[in-house]
Amino acid sequence: MLDSFAALITFPALQRYVNVHTWIWPVGEIIHFFGMALLVGCVGILDLRMLGVAKGLPVRPLERLVPWGIFGFVLALLTGVLFVVGDATGPPAVKFQNVAFQFKMLFMVLAGINVAVFYLSGIAERAHETGPGEDAPGAAKVIAFLSIFFWIAVIYFGRMIMYTDDLMLHRFFVLD
């Protein structure tokens, strides 16, 4: 199944373009980092408030940062697709076999499910009513903690992609 999907997103012309224009990759990295900073920064502020940091702030006004976080996610997603599709080291199927890449995708999906639960279950509405000095509902705290955990895992495994699976496995498991 992954090989079929990889074949769909294999664009040799894009690979050639990225490799001929050496500025594309570093600019993409900068945009990717900026997008992740926007995402984690904006969502992280809301998550930390729900966990009890800066209790003097009401939660509802912090929700205005979420569209900026979504914009950051879109930037990171688009540049991430460029990295997978435009990578000259091989077709996307090679990246899909990377354990770190698989974990990054898993934690991105879990973060998406987490945010869907937050907004679709009514927890968000209860959390938005949290005023200055008040504690967020327990369910909102759990979701906030998971959000921070999932995004840190996405960042960590994203950084580990460039290392070989063998190196990554040796760091966590004694294989010798």
Side-chain angles (χ1 to χ4, degrees):
M1 181 171 121
L2 284 178
D3 289 337
S4 299
F5 180 68
L8 282 173
I9 65 168
T10 299
F11 297 103
L14 180 61
Q15 286 179 335
R16 278 191 303 279
Y17 189 81
V18 168
N19 290 297
V20 168
H21 298 83
T22 56
W23 59 269
I24 291 176
W25 199 271
V27 169
E29 288 279 1
I30 292 167
I31 294 169
H32 194 73
F33 179 78
F34 183 71
M36 285 300 298
L38 266 175
L39 168 64
V40 174
C42 293
V43 173
I45 289 171
L46 182 61
D47 290 337
L48 288 171
R49 170 54 187 99
M50 286 190 292
L51 288 172
V53 176
K55 284 178 88 170
L57 298 173
V59 171
R60 187 172 297 278
L62 296 176
E63 189 70 24
R64 286 187 239 150
L65 295 172
V66 171
W68 287 102
I70 293 169
F71 176 67
F73 176 77
V74 170
L75 288 177
L77 180 67
L78 292 175
T79 52
V81 169
L82 175 72
F83 297 146
V84 171
V85 176
D87 189 354
T89 61
V94 172
K95 195 77 89 187
F96 291 168
Q97 294 169 1
N98 183 299
V99 173
F101 179 80
Q102 293 171 2
F103 274 115
K104 179 178 180 166
M105 294 300 108
L106 170 68
F107 282 110
M108 282 179 61
V109 167
L110 291 173
I113 291 169
N114 192 50
V115 76
V117 168
F118 181 67
Y119 285 106
L120 299 177
S121 68
I123 296 170
E125 282 307 313
R126 292 193 303 275
H128 292 156
E129 300 308 317
T130 306
E134 296 177 355
D135 282 326
K141 288 181 178 187
V142 170
I143 295 226
F145 174 80
L146 289 173
S147 174
I148 292 169
F149 176 79
F150 292 151
W151 287 116
I152 288 173
V154 167
I155 293 167
Y156 173 76
F157 285 108
R159 291 298 304 143
M160 293 302 292
I161 289 172
M162 71 173 145
Y163 302 105
T164 64
D165 287 339
D166 186 51
L167 174 64
M168 187 177 143
L169 291 173
H170 277 119
R171 287 181 181 233
F172 294 105
F173 306 104
V174 178
L175 298 176
D176 295 328

